[in-house]
PDB file of all heavy atoms in Angstrom:
ATOM      1  N   PRO B 850      -5.061  48.557 -86.254  1.00  0.00           N
ATOM      2  CA  PRO B 850      -5.148  47.201 -86.517  1.00  0.00           C
ATOM      3  C   PRO B 850      -3.677  46.602 -87.117  1.00  0.00           C
ATOM      4  O   PRO B 850      -3.469  45.501 -86.783  1.00  0.00           O
ATOM      5  CB  PRO B 850      -6.116  46.984 -87.625  1.00  0.00           C
ATOM      6  CG  PRO B 850      -6.529  48.212 -88.077  1.00  0.00           C
ATOM      7  CD  PRO B 850      -6.217  49.258 -87.076  1.00  0.00           C
ATOM      8  N   PHE B 851      -2.997  47.490 -87.872  1.00  0.00           N
ATOM      9  CA  PHE B 851      -1.755  46.969 -88.325  1.00  0.00           C
ATOM     10  C   PHE B 851      -0.875  46.707 -87.237  1.00  0.00           C
ATOM     11  O   PHE B 851      -0.190  45.652 -87.234  1.00  0.00           O
ATOM     12  CB  PHE B 851      -1.233  48.162 -89.265  1.00  0.00           C
ATOM     13  CG  PHE B 851       0.143  47.787 -89.909  1.00  0.00           C
ATOM     14  CD1 PHE B 851       0.238  46.797 -90.886  1.00  0.00           C
ATOM     15  CD2 PHE B 851       1.361  48.430 -89.474  1.00  0.00           C
ATOM     16  CE1 PHE B 851       1.482  46.650 -91.541  1.00  0.00           C
ATOM     17  CE2 PHE B 851       2.521  47.993 -90.103  1.00  0.00           C
ATOM     18  CZ  PHE B 851       2.629  47.162 -91.109  1.00  0.00           C
ATOM     19  N   ASN B 854      -1.545  43.553 -85.037  1.00  0.00           N
ATOM     20  CA  ASN B 854      -1.373  42.293 -85.694  1.00  0.00           C
ATOM     21  C   ASN B 854       0.078  42.236 -86.242  1.00  0.00           C
ATOM     22  O   ASN B 854       0.352  41.405 -87.096  1.00  0.00           O
ATOM     23  CB  ASN B 854      -2.332  42.019 -86.831  1.00  0.00           C
ATOM     24  CG  ASN B 854      -3.717  41.888 -86.192  1.00  0.00           C
ATOM     25  OD1 ASN B 854      -3.882  40.992 -85.466  1.00  0.00           O
ATOM     26  ND2 ASN B 854      -4.617  42.646 -86.693  1.00  0.00           N
ATOM     27  N   ILE B 855       0.925  43.123 -85.909  1.00  0.00           N
ATOM     28  CA  ILE B 855       2.277  43.161 -86.566  1.00  0.00           C
ATOM     29  C   ILE B 855       3.069  41.903 -86.380  1.00  0.00           C
ATOM     30  O   ILE B 855       3.655  41.503 -87.363  1.00  0.00           O
ATOM     31  CB  ILE B 855       3.001  44.359 -86.021  1.00  0.00           C
ATOM     32  CG1 ILE B 855       4.304  44.557 -86.939  1.00  0.00           C
ATOM     33  CG2 ILE B 855       3.487  44.242 -84.561  1.00  0.00           C
ATOM     34  CD1 ILE B 855       4.117  45.453 -88.061  1.00  0.00           C
ATOM     35  N   GLY B 856       2.891  41.240 -85.267  1.00  0.00           N
ATOM     36  CA  GLY B 856       3.629  39.916 -85.129  1.00  0.00           C
ATOM     37  C   GLY B 856       3.283  38.952 -86.226  1.00  0.00           C
ATOM     38  O   GLY B 856       4.191  38.414 -86.838  1.00  0.00           O
ATOM     39  N   THR B 857       1.902  38.747 -86.226  1.00  0.00           N
ATOM     40  CA  THR B 857       1.520  37.774 -87.121  1.00  0.00           C
ATOM     41  C   THR B 857       1.885  38.128 -88.575  1.00  0.00           C
ATOM     42  O   THR B 857       2.211  37.329 -89.394  1.00  0.00           O
ATOM     43  CB  THR B 857      -0.093  37.772 -87.110  1.00  0.00           C
ATOM     44  OG1 THR B 857      -0.456  37.766 -85.726  1.00  0.00           O
ATOM     45  CG2 THR B 857      -0.550  36.403 -87.854  1.00  0.00           C
ATOM     46  N   ILE B 858       1.662  39.460 -88.907  1.00  0.00           N
ATOM     47  CA  ILE B 858       2.042  39.872 -90.366  1.00  0.00           C
ATOM     48  C   ILE B 858       3.499  39.588 -90.581  1.00  0.00           C
ATOM     49  O   ILE B 858       3.784  39.060 -91.691  1.00  0.00           O
ATOM     50  CB  ILE B 858       1.647  41.404 -90.418  1.00  0.00           C
ATOM     51  CG1 ILE B 858       0.242  41.648 -90.326  1.00  0.00           C
ATOM     52  CG2 ILE B 858       2.250  41.902 -91.734  1.00  0.00           C
ATOM     53  CD1 ILE B 858      -0.201  43.062 -90.423  1.00  0.00           C
ATOM     54  N   LEU B 859       4.351  39.947 -89.656  1.00  0.00           N
ATOM     55  CA  LEU B 859       5.812  39.649 -89.976  1.00  0.00           C
ATOM     56  C   LEU B 859       6.011  38.251 -90.056  1.00  0.00           C
ATOM     57  O   LEU B 859       6.843  37.891 -90.958  1.00  0.00           O
ATOM     58  CB  LEU B 859       6.627  40.372 -88.800  1.00  0.00           C
ATOM     59  CG  LEU B 859       6.868  41.742 -88.884  1.00  0.00           C
ATOM     60  CD1 LEU B 859       7.609  42.324 -87.672  1.00  0.00           C
ATOM     61  CD2 LEU B 859       7.681  42.076 -90.217  1.00  0.00           C
ATOM     62  N   LEU B 860       5.304  37.398 -89.232  1.00  0.00           N
ATOM     63  CA  LEU B 860       5.521  35.927 -89.341  1.00  0.00           C
ATOM     64  C   LEU B 860       5.239  35.467 -90.719  1.00  0.00           C
ATOM     65  O   LEU B 860       6.047  34.791 -91.443  1.00  0.00           O
ATOM     66  CB  LEU B 860       4.850  35.220 -88.371  1.00  0.00           C
ATOM     67  CG  LEU B 860       5.145  33.786 -87.934  1.00  0.00           C
ATOM     68  CD1 LEU B 860       6.526  33.712 -87.355  1.00  0.00           C
ATOM     69  CD2 LEU B 860       4.146  33.153 -87.194  1.00  0.00           C
ATOM     70  N   TYR B 861       4.072  35.801 -91.129  1.00  0.00           N
ATOM     71  CA  TYR B 861       3.607  35.432 -92.512  1.00  0.00           C
ATOM     72  C   TYR B 861       4.600  35.876 -93.709  1.00  0.00           C
ATOM     73  O   TYR B 861       4.946  35.265 -94.557  1.00  0.00           O
ATOM     74  CB  TYR B 861       2.204  35.964 -92.872  1.00  0.00           C
ATOM     75  CG  TYR B 861       1.189  35.130 -92.297  1.00  0.00           C
ATOM     76  CD1 TYR B 861       0.134  35.759 -91.663  1.00  0.00           C
ATOM     77  CD2 TYR B 861       1.178  33.776 -92.207  1.00  0.00           C
ATOM     78  CE1 TYR B 861      -0.864  35.062 -91.075  1.00  0.00           C
ATOM     79  CE2 TYR B 861       0.093  33.011 -91.673  1.00  0.00           C
ATOM     80  CZ  TYR B 861      -0.908  33.574 -91.088  1.00  0.00           C
ATOM     81  OH  TYR B 861      -1.848  32.935 -90.496  1.00  0.00           O
ATOM     82  N   ALA B 862       4.965  37.219 -93.505  1.00  0.00           N
ATOM     83  CA  ALA B 862       5.765  37.910 -94.529  1.00  0.00           C
ATOM     84  C   ALA B 862       7.224  37.203 -94.562  1.00  0.00           C
ATOM     85  O   ALA B 862       7.616  36.925 -95.611  1.00  0.00           O
ATOM     86  CB  ALA B 862       5.919  39.335 -94.251  1.00  0.00           C
ATOM     87  N   VAL B 863       7.788  37.073 -93.512  1.00  0.00           N
ATOM     88  CA  VAL B 863       9.140  36.579 -93.445  1.00  0.00           C
ATOM     89  C   VAL B 863       9.177  35.109 -93.588  1.00  0.00           C
ATOM     90  O   VAL B 863       9.627  34.482 -94.532  1.00  0.00           O
ATOM     91  CB  VAL B 863       9.899  37.053 -92.185  1.00  0.00           C
ATOM     92  CG1 VAL B 863      11.254  36.623 -92.279  1.00  0.00           C
ATOM     93  CG2 VAL B 863       9.963  38.590 -92.208  1.00  0.00           C
ATOM     94  N   ILE B 926      -6.147  43.223 -93.096  1.00  0.00           N
ATOM     95  CA  ILE B 926      -4.812  43.689 -92.782  1.00  0.00           C
ATOM     96  C   ILE B 926      -3.688  42.731 -92.744  1.00  0.00           C
ATOM     97  O   ILE B 926      -2.545  42.812 -93.044  1.00  0.00           O
ATOM     98  CB  ILE B 926      -4.909  44.395 -91.321  1.00  0.00           C
ATOM     99  CG1 ILE B 926      -3.837  45.438 -91.392  1.00  0.00           C
ATOM    100  CG2 ILE B 926      -4.849  43.561 -90.243  1.00  0.00           C
ATOM    101  CD1 ILE B 926      -4.114  46.701 -92.005  1.00  0.00           C
ATOM    102  N   LEU B 927      -4.149  41.319 -92.407  1.00  0.00           N
ATOM    103  CA  LEU B 927      -3.190  40.406 -92.388  1.00  0.00           C
ATOM    104  C   LEU B 927      -2.602  40.049 -93.917  1.00  0.00           C
ATOM    105  O   LEU B 927      -1.396  40.007 -94.036  1.00  0.00           O
ATOM    106  CB  LEU B 927      -3.730  39.034 -91.873  1.00  0.00           C
ATOM    107  CG  LEU B 927      -3.901  38.970 -90.413  1.00  0.00           C
ATOM    108  CD1 LEU B 927      -4.598  37.726 -89.966  1.00  0.00           C
ATOM    109  CD2 LEU B 927      -2.474  38.875 -89.706  1.00  0.00           C
ATOM    110  N   GLY B 930      -0.966  43.474 -95.281  1.00  0.00           N
ATOM    111  CA  GLY B 930       0.264  43.660 -94.567  1.00  0.00           C
ATOM    112  C   GLY B 930       1.404  42.794 -94.988  1.00  0.00           C
ATOM    113  O   GLY B 930       2.556  43.120 -95.316  1.00  0.00           O
ATOM    114  N   GLU B 931       1.126  41.444 -95.159  1.00  0.00           N
ATOM    115  CA  GLU B 931       2.115  40.460 -95.542  1.00  0.00           C
ATOM    116  C   GLU B 931       2.478  40.705 -96.981  1.00  0.00           C
ATOM    117  O   GLU B 931       3.646  40.709 -97.148  1.00  0.00           O
ATOM    118  CB  GLU B 931       1.384  39.144 -95.621  1.00  0.00           C
ATOM    119  CG  GLU B 931       2.269  38.081 -95.979  1.00  0.00           C
ATOM    120  CD  GLU B 931       1.620  36.842 -96.478  1.00  0.00           C
ATOM    121  OE1 GLU B 931       0.380  36.746 -96.229  1.00  0.00           O
ATOM    122  OE2 GLU B 931       2.276  36.138 -97.259  1.00  0.00           O
ATOM    123  N   LEU B 934       5.011  43.731 -96.799  1.00  0.00           N
ATOM    124  CA  LEU B 934       6.269  43.514 -96.003  1.00  0.00           C
ATOM    125  C   LEU B 934       7.170  42.294 -96.578  1.00  0.00           C
ATOM    126  O   LEU B 934       8.312  42.291 -96.346  1.00  0.00           O
ATOM    127  CB  LEU B 934       6.024  43.325 -94.476  1.00  0.00           C
ATOM    128  CG  LEU B 934       5.393  44.449 -93.774  1.00  0.00           C
ATOM    129  CD1 LEU B 934       5.300  44.099 -92.380  1.00  0.00           C
ATOM    130  CD2 LEU B 934       6.324  45.678 -93.932  1.00  0.00           C
TER     131      LEU B 934
END
Side-chain angles (χ1 to χ4, degrees):
Chain B
F851 182 71
N854 291 303
I855 188 86
T857 320
I858 293 178
L859 279 175
L860 193 69
Y861 281 135
V863 178
I926 205 82
L927 281 177
E931 180 204 340
L934 293 184

